Amino acid sequence: MKLTRLAATFAATMIAAGPTLAETLHFPSLSYRTGPFAAGGIPFADGYSDYLTLINERDGGIGGVPIRQTECETAYNTERGVECYQSIRGDNPLVLQPLSTGITYQLIPRTMEDGIPMHTMGYGRTSAVNGEVFNWTFNYPANYWDGASVIINYLLSENDGSLEGKKIALLYHNSAYGREPIPTLTNLAERHGYELLTIGVDSPGQEQGSQWLQIRRERPDYVVMWGWGVMNPTAIQEAANIRFPMENFIGVWWSGSQQDVRPVGAGAHGYKALAMHGTGTDYPIYEDMQRYVIDTGKYAGTGDEVGTVLYSRGMYAAMLAVEAAKKAQEIHGVAAITPAMMRDGMANLEITEELMAELGLPNFGPAFSVACENHGGSGEAMIQQWDANAGEWNLITDWIAPDREMIMEMAMEDSLAFAAENNMTPACMN
């Protein structure tokens, strides 16, 4: 059977050695190192794995308990993602990181039933920010609706506080992921008086000729991109071909990595994207990463993605997972925590500037705290811009806050509809 073969493959990729399974903390990775979206999946998986390896090699695990890593290949395919979940759900997984909005939507009811926490950092179902309904799903430090609002707030600051009469095109991956920002951008269009054009691109996104003909004909003032994988460099190349001003082309944080701009060469110069964290190796933690992981040959993959945007994002996700596990151990007074205990740690997580500095990541991400009413963190993001001459991303703003009041109203409406459809009574978990 297909699932049996997948489970066997999964078991063969386990990275554990030494302690028995009962003596470890299991952090699975639902990765995609193959398929049309592998260019984005590989560096994230590498960063996630390398940080967990660092915690094992330098600290001896979390609270004295070693970390056990496993990896299951989804190829960014929803069916395979569900199969991966089925293969690990009984193996005490502390937190799931699906790295796919489609997989996330399928796993939300399953993880609720099984009592397994899920972290969808900057992706997934936005209304999971309401912890009274989505007790087991967390999307801190920011979600899609936050990102859309931050982009509009940035454009407002660039236009003396008014977008009246402007035309903004949303070029989106024609999937649940790509359609997520449409409600937010539509509401904000009514508020700020800009015209919104929505232009879908079918997966994987290599064919965009007609979309850019439309953009050339409509002549929008700005293009906002919600892309992933090969769609991103294709779009940036098309924009360069029609000489669209790159400084007016802004991607979500999943459209702002080295993989998106390097293939376009000098044509990508000036392109902008959201940033939910810092990037590069100019952080103290990389001294330890070099000593304990890279120099010892224990890094994941080929080791050539270290410090890139998506490697940094995977490392960031792992850091937040480790800190939540520490919080769970503190709350429950035990080192060998369960998935339910891990959920408590995530629900009470607090990331301060002081903590990030202690971890060797000063000013890397926003300070935030999690509560039942807000599983989504602060929602803040920065704007970064690509310098093709230097081959690097430069942050050009400080943290920009979204319109959280509007977003929480939208999230409340959507989450309560989900609760009604599933005969749930919203309530905080103790």
Side-chain angles (χ1 to χ4, degrees):
M1 290 177 62
K2 187 176 181 182
L3 180 56
T4 302
R5 294 200 303 271
L6 182 69
T9 302
F10 171 74
T13 63
M14 289 171 57
I15 313 171
T20 64
L21 301 189
E23 298 171 329
T24 59
L25 299 175
H26 182 200
F27 286 84
S29 175
L30 273 61
S31 63
Y32 38 95
R33 297 182 179 275
T34 63
F37 301 98
I42 289 171
F44 184 97
D46 287 354
Y48 191 75
S49 177
D50 283 357
Y51 188 85
L52 296 177
T53 299
L54 171 64
I55 298 303
N56 262 350
E57 298 300 314
R58 185 192 64 191
D59 304 341
I62 307 172
V65 183
I67 293 169
R68 174 167 58 96
Q69 296 188 55
T70 58
E71 193 167 316
C72 191
E73 174 67 33
T74 72
Y76 198 70
N77 176 277
T78 298
E79 181 182 353
R80 288 184 64 177
V82 173
E83 291 175 356
C84 278
Y85 174 74
Q86 291 297 114
S87 73
I88 64 176
R89 57 192 285 267
D91 193 20
N92 208 43
L94 291 185
V95 60
L96 297 176
Q97 308 266 0
L99 199 59
S100 159
T101 294
I103 296 174
T104 296
Y105 268 77
Q106 290 299 312
L107 294 189
I108 284 174
R110 290 173 168 85
T111 54
M112 284 180 168
E113 182 176 350
D114 294 337
I116 299 171
M118 183 163 57
H119 184 202
T120 62
M121 186 176 78
Y123 63 93
R125 183 170 189 146
T126 296
S127 61
V129 68
N130 182 4
E132 292 186 348
V133 174
F134 299 98
N135 301 134
W136 296 88
T137 305
F138 300 81
N139 51 14
Y140 51 73
N143 59 58
Y144 290 142
W145 296 351
D146 290 325
S149 178
V150 166
I151 288 175
I152 296 303
N153 283 345
Y154 169 69
L155 293 180
L156 284 167
S157 71
E158 292 288 289
N159 288 274
D160 298 322
S162 175
L163 292 174
E164 189 74 33
K166 299 290 185 181
K167 186 183 292 186
I168 299 175
L170 171 67
L171 186 71
Y172 66 94
H173 190 273
N174 196 10
S175 63
Y177 153 61
R179 291 187 289 271
E180 275 282 325
I182 294 177
T184 305
L185 292 174
T186 299
N187 285 350
L188 290 171
E190 295 174 0
R191 177 178 298 183
H192 295 296
Y194 62 82
E195 179 184 352
L196 177 66
L197 304 174
T198 57
I199 304 173
V201 176
D202 290 336
S203 185
Q206 292 171 302
E207 301 295 331
Q208 298 183 35
S210 63
Q211 287 86 352
W212 283 93
L213 281 174
Q214 182 180 355
I215 289 172
R216 189 172 187 176
R217 182 175 64 252
E218 297 283 355
R219 300 175 63 86
D221 297 284
Y222 298 97
V223 174
V224 174
M225 178 160 65
W226 234 259
W228 186 227
V230 69
M231 174 183 164
N232 294 336
T234 301
I236 296 170
Q237 183 64 67
E238 292 282 0
N241 291 345
I242 68 169
R243 301 176 188 267
F244 187 84
M246 280 296 163
E247 66 272 14
N248 293 345
F249 192 8
I250 306 174
V252 69
W253 40 64
W254 299 112
S255 301
S257 70
Q258 283 82 356
Q259 287 81 359
D260 301 324
V261 289
R262 283 175 176 166
V264 187
H269 185 75
Y271 171 74
K272 298 174 182 177
L274 288 176
M276 68 164 64
H277 52 73
T279 190
T281 57
D282 191 23
Y283 293 93
I285 193 172
Y286 278 103
E287 296 177 9
D288 285 350
M289 190 72 78
Q290 188 74 38
R291 175 182 176 186
Y292 291 98
V293 180
I294 298 170
D295 287 347
T296 59
K298 295 178 179 178
Y299 51 83
T302 59
D304 59 354
E305 296 287 353
V306 175
T308 61
V309 169
L310 291 174
Y311 180 96
S312 300
R313 190 158 307 155
M315 184 178 70
Y316 187 29
M319 181 272 278
L320 295 175
V322 168
E323 293 309 307
K326 291 178 183 177
K327 175 62 71 173
Q329 290 174 336
E330 174 188 329
I331 291 171
H332 292 282
V334 297
I337 56 173
T338 65
M341 294 175 181
M342 180 69 172
R343 193 218 73 88
D344 294 342
M346 296 172 72
N348 292 276
L349 183 64
E350 184 175 8
I351 301 296
T352 65
E353 294 177 359
E354 292 77 15
L355 175 59
M356 285 187 287
E358 290 174 11
L359 296 173
L361 290 165
N363 304 311
F364 185 79
F368 68 90
S369 59
V370 184
C372 173
E373 299 79 10
N374 178 14
H375 278 191
S378 70
E380 296 172 305
M382 300 177 286
I383 301 292
Q384 61 181 6
Q385 187 168 35
W386 179 247
D387 183 340
N389 299 319
E392 63 184 19
W393 286 102
N394 295 312
L395 294 171
I396 60 173
T397 72
D398 201 343
W399 295 105
I400 301 173
D403 187 337
R404 257 306 169 87
E405 182 178 352
M406 182 197 74
I407 289 168
M408 293 304 284
E409 288 177 0
M410 293 172 59
M412 185 65 67
E413 180 181 355
D414 186 77
S415 60
L416 292 181
F418 176 89
E421 291 168 5
N422 292 275
N423 296 316
M424 296 170 56
T425 301
C428 295
M429 292 183 67
N430 294 327

